């Protein structure tokens, strides 16, 4: 599991993110690799898409964003 980093307000396309569960407005950030069976089979997981995650500092709910 990733180490907890700086928790702060985050913005998505100019809008401040608010937790969908508890309405908190501070999050810490991590990046997740979106593994697929085909890429894993051929050993090229690095080529999969990545998602940006913002984790609520209050309740832990994970918000996922793809580019």
């Amino acid at each position: 599991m990733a180490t907890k980093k700086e928790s702060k307000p985050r913005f998505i396309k100019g809008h401040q993110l608010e937790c969908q569960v508890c309405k908190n407005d501070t999050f810490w950030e991590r990046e997740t690799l979106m593994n697929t069976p085909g890429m894993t089979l051929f050993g090229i997981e690095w080529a999969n898409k990545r998602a940006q995650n913002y984790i609520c500092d209050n309740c832990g709910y994970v918000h996922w964003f793809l580019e």
Side-chain angles (χ1 to χ4, degrees), residues 1-61:
M1 185 170 159
T3 311
K4 191 171 181 179
K5 297 181 182 178
E6 182 183 6
S7 176
K8 62 183 182 181
R10 306 294 176 156
F11 294 85
I12 307 298
K13 295 190 174 190
H15 299 278
Q16 186 169 355
L17 184 60
E18 182 179 88
C19 180
Q20 297 297 303
V21 174
C22 71
K23 306 304 181 198
N24 181 49
D25 66 353
T26 56
F27 302 84
W28 55 281
E29 180 179 7
R30 75 173 181 197
E31 188 175 84
T32 303
L33 190 60
M34 306 291 290
N35 285 338
T36 59
M39 297 290 209
T40 301
L41 177 67
F42 294 108
I44 54 172
E45 293 92 347
W46 57 267
N48 281 306
K49 290 184 179 181
R50 297 178 185 276
Q52 201 64 32
N53 304 130
Y54 295 106
I55 299 90
C56 177
D57 192 43
N58 183 53
C59 72
Y61 184 80

